[in-house]
């Protein structure tokens, strides 16, 4: 089931949610954002990207923009995606979870410094 | 060639993926192909793709098709046989093994056939034709491609229902006449492809600005069809893309384009009423005419983020007000990274503030008029000699590309960011049928510069950096040149 697929949240899905936190983006822009925010370590291929987007759409964590909502999109061949409020909450809770992990890692002296 | 290979590889995915995301995946591949040039980048691209295929193809086959199942259950047809989608579970190992064995056998057979390639191409044509029809069933999830533009005049083509008897024989007819292709099982499939090809050729002959070149393109299109080069097209979008490539190969005219839309193309554009225009104006004004940010940053750097070049008839005063806000700046940044294009009039209006004399702004979308010149000098304007930076991304398009191209050619701005999308949309759009159309330039607007315009190639940045770091790069460069107050 879709929800089971996203529990725990896969890394690619989390990166996609983060990329959409700032703006509505189409597939290629999402791929570029993810590459940028991971310093090029994660380059989502078309199959992985659209597979993840489909799972996120089914779980209602993102939504596809209706071109009628924005007349500018009528001229676009591409599909734009937007983070839903549920998706934003999930991304925030995932970020909190990672922050907790970091706190533990610092307490155990595995990581040093205030920022990673 | 690379697109054809990837279009073939896409067939490895299950049909539900190709229906939902096939066009998007191909578009993404084309975007990467355009942006990632050079041996190392290309090698990395193909490695990424193969790795992606290995990971994502099995995953897609395991994905339950909940939507199809729900749709089947929700709408039982009256009296008609009911089919259930039985792809809920994953593939059995034995099925995978059988699939591999069959694939190997198929590849071996293909290798043998290659050595007897005499009739193979004709065989390919029939096969692809059938697939083309089956995949052109329109998915409600498919976003229509760009088929209309503010500069394009949509015209119901008189050739839409014209008989093909006066045209050259179709590729299929030629193949059939040669006795290579038996009459196909489903004879109504092939005329679709044939009709589109004939209509494209007829429109070229009738409307293209250079008749002899139109004839050469017609000959080339037919030759490609005869050779089966269109066999890579498994859907309408790819077929349109192939025809476009074949025409451009002969003419080198990047403004020629066959377009495909999964949504029906209207017979003729609806005439805008005064209420429509008023509504449009309200929408623009509510959005501040897409002037998203107008502010003076640290070190007195003017920053203007513009997402659409709106019609100055509605938004002229907003533009004037924005430029007045930035009038005291020591440098100015136009952020067009999210710009979707728009009106050449707004391009000229904003550019007017950057020159002290009327400057010609080349626009391949129209013949030059007095309005092609900037309205420089602007009274009270202080920006004429100030450094100008324009930020771009791979989605910066159309009129935004005109702004970048002209300022770059006039050495008036430094372009920072990514190569723009490469769409000039110059030409008249002719409707072929409900889903296909062709854009044909009917007039030559002479480019005063030696560099070709941005159609198909985009505007190259002077400082190529990822779009996300274009602003910081520009700010850093400006602070080295602008003396702090």
């Amino acid at each position: 089931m879709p929800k089971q697929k996203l529990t725990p949240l896969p890394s690619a899905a989390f990166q996609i949610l983060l990329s959409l936190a700032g703006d509505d983006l189409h597939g290629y822009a999402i791929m570029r954002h993810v590459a940028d925010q991971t310093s090029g370590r994660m380059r989502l291929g078309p199959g992985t990207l659209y597979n993840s987007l489909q799972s996120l759409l089914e779980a209602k964590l993102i939504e596809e923009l209706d071109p009628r909502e924005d007349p500018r999109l009528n001229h676009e061949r591409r599909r734009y995606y937007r983070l839903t409020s549920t998706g934003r909450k999930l991304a925030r809770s995932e970020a909190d979870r990672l922050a907790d992990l970091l706190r533990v890692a610092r307490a155990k002296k595995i990581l040093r410094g205030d920022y990673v | 060639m690379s697109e054809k290979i990837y279009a073939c590889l896409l067939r490895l995915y299950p049909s539900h993926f190709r229906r939902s995301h096939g066009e998007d995946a191909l578009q993404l591949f084309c975007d990467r192909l355009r942006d990632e040039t050079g041996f190392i980048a290309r090698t990395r691209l193909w490695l990424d793709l193969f790795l992606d295929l290995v990971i994502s193809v099995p995953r897609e086959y395991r994905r339950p098709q909940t939507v199809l199942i729900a749709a089947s259950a929700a709408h039982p047809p009256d009296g008609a046989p009911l089919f259930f989608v039985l792809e809920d579970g994953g593939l059995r190992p034995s099925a995978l093994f059988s699939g591999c064995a069959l694939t190997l056998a198929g590849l071996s057979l293909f290798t043998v056939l290659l050595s007897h390639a005499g009739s193979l191409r004709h065989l390919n044509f029939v096969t692809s034709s059938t697939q083309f029809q089956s995949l052109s069933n329109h998915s409600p999830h498919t976003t229509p491609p760009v088929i209309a533009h503010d500069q394009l005049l949509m015209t119901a083509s008189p050739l839409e229902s014209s008989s093909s008897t006066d045209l050259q024989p179709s590729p299929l007819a030629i193949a059939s006449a040669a006795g290579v292709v038996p009459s196909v099982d489903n004879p109504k499939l092939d005329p679709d492809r044939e009709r589109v090809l004939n209509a494209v050729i007829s429109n070229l002959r009738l409307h293209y600005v250079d008749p002899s070149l139109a004839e050469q393109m017609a000959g080339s299109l037919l030759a490609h069809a005869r050779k089966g080069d269109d066999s890579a097209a498994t859907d309408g979008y790819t077929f349109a893309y192939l025809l476009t490539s074949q025409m451009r190969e002969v003419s080198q005219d990047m403004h020629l384009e066959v377009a495909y839309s999964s949504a029906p193309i209207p017979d003729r554009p609806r005439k805008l009423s005064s209420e429509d225009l008023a509504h449009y104006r309200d929408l623009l004004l509510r959005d501040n005419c897409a002037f998203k940010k107008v502010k003076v940053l640290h070190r007195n750097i003017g920053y203007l983020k513009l997402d659409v070049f709106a019609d100055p008839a509605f938004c002229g005063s907003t533009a004037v007000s924005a430029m007045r806000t930035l009038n005291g700046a020591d440098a100015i940044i136009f952020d067009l990274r999210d710009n979707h294009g728009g009106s050449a009039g707004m391009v000229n209006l904003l550019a007017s503030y950057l020159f002290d004399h009327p400057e010609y702004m080349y626009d391949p979308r129209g013949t030059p008029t007095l309005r092609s010149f900037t309205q420089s000098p602007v009274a009270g304007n202080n920006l004429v000699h100030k450094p100008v930076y324009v930020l771009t991304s791979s989605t910066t398009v159309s009129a935004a590309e005109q702004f970048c191209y002209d300022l770059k050619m006039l050495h008036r701005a430094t372009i920072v960011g990514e190569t723009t999308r490469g769409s000039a949309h110059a030409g008249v759009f002719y409707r072929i049928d409900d889903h296909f159309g062709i854009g044909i330039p009917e007039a030559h607007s002479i480019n005063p510069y030696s560099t070709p315009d941005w159609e198909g190639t985009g505007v190259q940045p002077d400082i190529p950096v990822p779009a996300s770091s274009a602003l910081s790069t520009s700010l850093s460069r400006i602070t080295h040149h602008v003396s702090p107050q």
Side-chain angles (χ1 to χ4, degrees):
Chain A
M1 290 295 105
K3 281 188 178 175
Q4 287 170 342
K5 282 185 181 176
L6 293 171
T7 311
L9 193 64
S11 174
F14 182 46
Q15 292 290 352
I16 291 172
L17 293 181
L18 288 181
S19 72
L20 289 171
D23 207 353
D24 307 331
L25 300 172
H26 56 70
Y28 181 53
I30 292 173
M31 192 222 99
R32 296 295 298 264
H33 270 74
V34 170
D36 285 348
Q37 69 204 19
T38 58
S39 307
R41 284 192 297 275
M42 184 182 283
R43 291 189 303 275
L44 296 175
T48 308
L49 174 68
Y50 287 106
N51 181 298
S52 304
L53 285 175
Q54 189 61 39
S55 297
L56 292 168
L57 282 168
E58 286 171 7
K60 301 195 187 310
L61 299 176
I62 61 171
E63 62 189 0
E64 189 179 326
L65 255 64
D66 185 346
R68 285 170 302 183
E69 270 183 38
D70 188 342
R72 289 168 293 174
L73 299 184
N74 284 329
H75 295 300
E76 284 275 1
R77 181 181 290 140
R78 301 158 192 268
R79 284 192 241 179
Y80 278 72
Y81 300 93
R82 172 182 288 168
L83 194 61
T84 62
S85 55
T86 318
R88 192 173 292 277
K89 278 178 199 161
L90 184 68
R92 192 176 297 135
S93 70
E94 179 69 4
D96 286 342
R97 189 182 70 78
L98 292 173
D100 286 343
L101 274 178
L102 282 181
R103 274 192 287 276
V104 173
R106 286 202 193 96
K108 302 281 185 186
K109 310 287 187 199
I110 290 175
L111 278 178
R112 291 182 180 177
D114 292 334
Y115 300 99
V116 177
Chain B
M1 186 62 191
S2 300
E3 291 94 323
K4 287 184 186 176
I5 293 173
Y6 188 66
C8 290
L9 288 174
L10 273 176
R11 294 187 198 178
L12 292 172
Y13 286 96
S15 57
H16 66 86
F17 179 86
R18 278 183 278 135
R19 255 195 322 272
S20 304
H21 300 297
E23 288 182 14
D24 297 331
L26 191 61
Q27 174 72 50
L28 191 146
F29 172 75
C30 293
D31 287 337
R32 284 193 67 178
L33 202 64
R34 186 193 61 221
D35 292 347
E36 298 178 23
T37 52
F39 177 74
I40 295 175
R42 282 285 163 88
T43 309
R44 193 181 61 184
L45 168 62
W46 281 108
L47 279 176
D48 283 353
L49 286 175
F50 282 116
L51 192 63
D52 180 53
L53 281 169
V54 170
I55 294 170
S56 60
V57 169
R59 189 185 297 162
E60 276 304 324
Y61 277 99
R62 288 198 300 270
R63 172 187 286 280
Q65 294 184 57
T66 49
V67 176
L68 289 176
I69 294 167
S72 301
H75 304 288
D78 295 333
L82 187 60
F83 295 94
F84 292 96
V85 181
L86 297 176
E87 295 185 30
D88 210 358
L91 286 175
R92 297 187 312 278
S94 59
L96 281 173
F97 178 77
S98 308
C100 289
L102 278 173
T103 307
L104 284 174
L107 280 173
S108 308
L109 182 65
F110 183 68
T111 313
V112 172
L113 282 174
L114 272 181
S115 57
H116 304 84
S119 60
L120 186 61
R121 283 174 171 172
H122 300 295
L123 183 65
N124 273 350
F125 184 86
V126 174
T127 307
S128 63
S129 176
T130 306
Q131 289 167 341
F132 164 65
Q133 174 70 14
S134 64
L135 289 176
S136 67
N137 290 334
H138 315 298
S139 159
H141 301 294
T142 309
T143 305
V146 176
I147 44 111
H149 185 271
D150 48 358
Q151 298 289 331
L152 298 185
L153 303 172
M154 190 174 283
T155 313
S157 169
L159 300 164
E160 183 184 347
S161 57
S162 69
S163 155
S164 61
T165 50
D166 55 341
L167 303 175
Q168 295 203 12
S170 73
L172 187 63
I174 292 163
S176 298
V180 180
V181 182
S183 63
V184 287
D185 292 340
N186 193 347
K188 68 179 180 182
L189 301 182
D190 299 311
D192 268 352
R193 183 186 292 248
E194 177 190 345
R195 186 171 45 78
V196 171
L197 183 68
N198 282 336
V200 165
I201 289 172
S202 303
N203 275 297
L204 278 177
R205 285 176 172 151
L206 203 58
H207 302 295
Y208 191 59
V209 66
D210 183 339
S212 65
L213 203 51
E215 205 52 49
Q216 286 178 41
M217 283 188 277
S220 172
L221 286 168
L222 286 171
H224 277 295
R226 278 183 212 123
K227 285 196 294 181
D229 291 345
D230 301 340
S231 58
T234 56
D235 54 49
Y237 175 69
T238 318
F239 185 52
Y241 179 82
L242 278 179
L243 294 181
T244 301
S245 311
Q246 291 162 7
M247 291 190 302
R248 290 179 178 178
E249 194 178 77
V250 174
S251 63
Q252 303 299 314
D253 186 340
M254 304 305 282
H255 300 117
L256 272 168
E257 181 178 14
V258 176
Y260 171 77
S261 164
S262 55
I265 302 169
D267 280 341
R268 58 193 69 242
R270 192 167 65 88
K271 200 170 180 182
L272 292 175
S273 64
S274 54
E275 288 82 11
D276 289 333
L277 288 173
H279 180 61
Y280 176 60
R281 183 175 181 277
D282 286 347
L283 279 177
L284 282 172
L285 293 180
R286 217 178 299 158
D287 194 33
N288 197 36
C289 290
F291 283 77
K292 294 293 182 183
K293 287 177 189 168
V294 182
K295 54 186 175 183
V296 178
L297 304 175
H298 183 56
R299 290 181 183 267
N300 201 31
I301 298 168
Y303 175 75
L304 193 161
K305 183 172 188 331
L306 183 63
D307 286 359
V308 171
F309 282 87
D311 190 337
F314 300 132
C315 294
S317 56
T318 309
V320 169
S321 164
M323 295 310 286
R324 270 188 198 147
T325 305
L326 305 178
N327 196 31
D330 291 326
I332 185 162
I333 296 173
F334 290 95
D335 187 346
L336 305 184
R337 289 176 292 180
D338 297 316
N339 196 295
H340 299 274
S343 157
M346 181 59 83
V347 170
N348 288 10
L349 176 56
L350 292 181
S352 298
Y353 288 84
L354 308 180
F355 299 98
D356 59 4
H357 61 277
E359 193 62 75
Y360 175 58
M361 298 294 280
Y362 166 64
D363 180 5
R365 300 175 295 180
T367 47
T369 65
L370 278 177
R371 291 184 179 181
S372 306
F373 289 82
T374 62
Q375 299 156 37
S376 316
V378 178
N381 172 44
N382 295 323
L383 297 170
V384 168
H385 300 295
K386 301 293 167 60
V388 176
Y389 285 73
V390 182
L391 314 187
T392 58
S393 74
S394 60
T395 56
T396 302
V397 70
S398 198
E401 293 180 283
Q402 185 203 348
F403 190 77
C404 298
Y405 179 84
D406 283 333
L407 292 187
K408 181 177 176 175
M409 290 299 117
L410 292 164
H411 304 290
R412 184 61 189 94
T414 306
I415 314 296
V416 184
E418 298 170 346
T419 303
T420 59
R421 184 166 141 187
S423 294
H425 301 306
V428 179
F429 185 82
Y430 291 92
R431 182 183 186 277
I432 289 174
D433 62 15
D434 279 351
H435 300 283
F436 284 93
I438 179 171
I440 303 179
E442 292 186 314
H444 272 315
S445 179
I446 297 168
N447 186 341
Y449 309 112
S450 56
T451 310
D453 69 52
W454 60 92
E455 182 68 52
T457 55
V459 181
Q460 309 288 325
D462 298 305
I463 304 171
V465 292
S468 53
S469 44
L471 179 57
S472 55
T473 304
S474 302
L475 288 172
S476 159
R477 286 182 70 92
I478 292 171
T479 47
H480 285 94
H481 292 92
V482 176
S483 55
Q485 285 192 333

